[in-house]
Amino acid sequence: MGGRNKKRKDRGNERRFMNVKCSKRLMGVATKASIGTVVSITIIMLAYMFNRYKQDYNSNILQETLTGLLREENSAKVSPDTKIAIGFGSCQDIVVQSNQIIFDRPPSYPEHFFSITNKEEFLKVFAYFYRHGAAAERFISNSTFFSELVYLAEKAPSARYIIGGNAPVMAKRFVKEGCQVLLGAQMSKSLENQFPNSIRISGPIVGEDDIHLLLEYPAGQRWGKFSPPRANRFIVHNDHQNPELSSLDAFITQMENYDPNLLVVGGLQMMDNFPMSES
């Protein structure tokens, strides 16, 4: 009888020992979990605070930069007698939201092309830049396909028309500053009528303006599996006049008697990726 009681007592002591041991382990695990939770929350809070600080810092730097530029701009005095000659080229821009003319599914594999010959290449190269939210401009050699894009753009609800080309935009700004301006650009009579009378246009006058399509998209817009990290635009055109500087001869002829104080040359990027003839 005494032996049985001893065994029961030993088993009871063993259970109590195991319970205490398990309790200590559980307390250790709980303590580690609590410490881990605190550390995780601390890291998250520090990351959040650092991100806010970085955003505020960048915002302050940007504001200081803009303020400095405005201060410099206001300090500059332009004489009304300042004569500026600026070239080259002009066009009619159609600005439209990309998802209002691109209804196709995106390609599985984006691909880069220096110039575009068909719809498949257009979708691939658009996706190539779209996924990065990167600006780009490409020449479409297929005039029929480009005309189809223009037709869709003209019907889009967001379509708006603006005077295009680096030189015309700068020319309008120079006139606002009080300068006299000679613009080296070819354009139709209807486009010429959209310019201030104070801008002297070299010509030549053409029957039809080249059209550039500016396909804009906002950041985060989904197109299949692609989503651009920033808002941007993709420009396409079938322009043969501006890359070949068709206004150059008339511009040089008029500039000889114009005697400008400043010569500004822009629009040369139109030569990029353009299939120049060998002759």
Side-chain angles (χ1 to χ4, degrees):
M1 192 72 175
R4 290 181 182 175
N5 290 335
K6 186 175 184 304
K7 288 182 179 179
R8 289 175 182 171
K9 185 176 181 180
D10 290 342
R11 283 197 295 270
N13 291 335
E14 186 177 349
R15 289 194 192 98
R16 283 193 293 272
F17 174 76
M18 292 298 294
N19 289 337
V20 170
K21 190 174 181 180
C22 288
S23 297
K24 288 182 177 179
R25 286 184 177 178
L26 290 173
M27 289 178 64
V29 171
T31 301
K32 290 180 180 179
S34 299
I35 294 174
T37 302
V38 171
V39 170
S40 299
I41 293 174
T42 302
I43 292 173
I44 292 172
M45 290 298 296
L46 288 173
Y48 172 77
M49 292 171 64
F50 175 75
N51 189 51
R52 284 295 302 272
Y53 167 78
K54 187 176 180 181
Q55 289 179 351
D56 292 341
Y57 176 78
N58 290 338
S59 179
N60 291 336
I61 291 295
L62 179 60
Q63 187 58 49
E64 290 176 4
T65 302
L66 292 175
T67 301
L69 290 173
L70 288 172
R71 183 169 57 249
E72 290 300 318
E73 180 179 339
N74 293 330
S75 67
K77 302 299 180 183
V78 180
S79 169
D81 298 326
T82 301
K83 300 170 70 175
I84 300 176
I86 179 170
F88 293 98
S90 69
C91 62
Q92 179 74 73
D93 282 350
I94 302 180
V95 185
V96 64
Q97 291 298 307
S98 63
N99 61 357
Q100 293 181 359
I101 71 167
I102 299 177
F103 305 108
D104 300 83
R105 294 173 60 86
S108 300
Y109 302 100
E111 189 175 349
H112 178 263
F113 296 93
F114 288 107
S115 62
I116 300 168
T117 60
N118 54 47
K119 185 177 183 179
E120 181 182 1
E121 291 182 357
F122 168 73
L123 293 173
K124 285 184 176 181
V125 74
F126 177 74
Y128 181 86
F129 292 104
Y130 181 87
R131 61 179 175 171
H132 299 298
E137 182 172 351
R138 288 295 178 269
F139 173 77
I140 296 181
S141 59
N142 187 330
S143 57
T144 301
F145 173 59
F146 181 74
S147 296
E148 293 172 356
L149 290 178
V150 171
Y151 176 80
L152 291 173
E154 290 175 336
K155 302 296 183 183
S158 63
R160 54 191 176 92
Y161 297 78
I162 58 175
I163 295 174
N166 293 340
V169 172
M170 287 189 282
K172 292 173 67 178
R173 178 65 186 185
F174 288 143
V175 166
K176 284 186 176 181
E177 297 296 334
C179 301
Q180 301 177 45
V181 177
L182 169 65
L183 171 61
Q186 78 293 330
M187 64 184 67
S188 67
K189 199 66 180 176
S190 61
L191 188 61
E192 183 185 37
N193 292 335
Q194 298 179 38
F195 283 85
N197 294 329
S198 53
I199 295 180
R200 179 176 167 184
I201 298 174
S202 70
I205 298 298
V206 297
E208 187 176 356
D209 296 299
D210 281 294
I211 293 177
H212 291 199
L213 286 183
L214 282 61
L215 310 180
E216 296 188 332
Y217 50 83
Q221 176 178 273
R222 298 296 304 183
W223 183 42
K225 63 181 179 180
F226 303 120
S227 178
R230 65 188 63 82
N232 223 318
R233 56 174 49 167
F234 182 66
I235 304 173
V236 291
H237 64 87
N238 182 241
D239 188 342
H240 288 263
Q241 297 185 89
N242 288 307
E244 295 178 352
L245 301 181
S246 61
S247 60
L248 179 61
D249 292 339
F251 180 63
I252 291 176
T253 299
Q254 294 197 32
M255 192 171 61
E256 290 176 352
N257 298 322
Y258 188 67
D259 191 24
N261 302 106
L262 176 66
L263 171 63
V264 180
V265 176
L268 300 184
Q269 84 284 350
M270 292 295 299
M271 296 180 180
D272 290 343
N273 308 318
F274 181 77
M276 296 288 185
S277 60
E278 297 295 331
S279 58

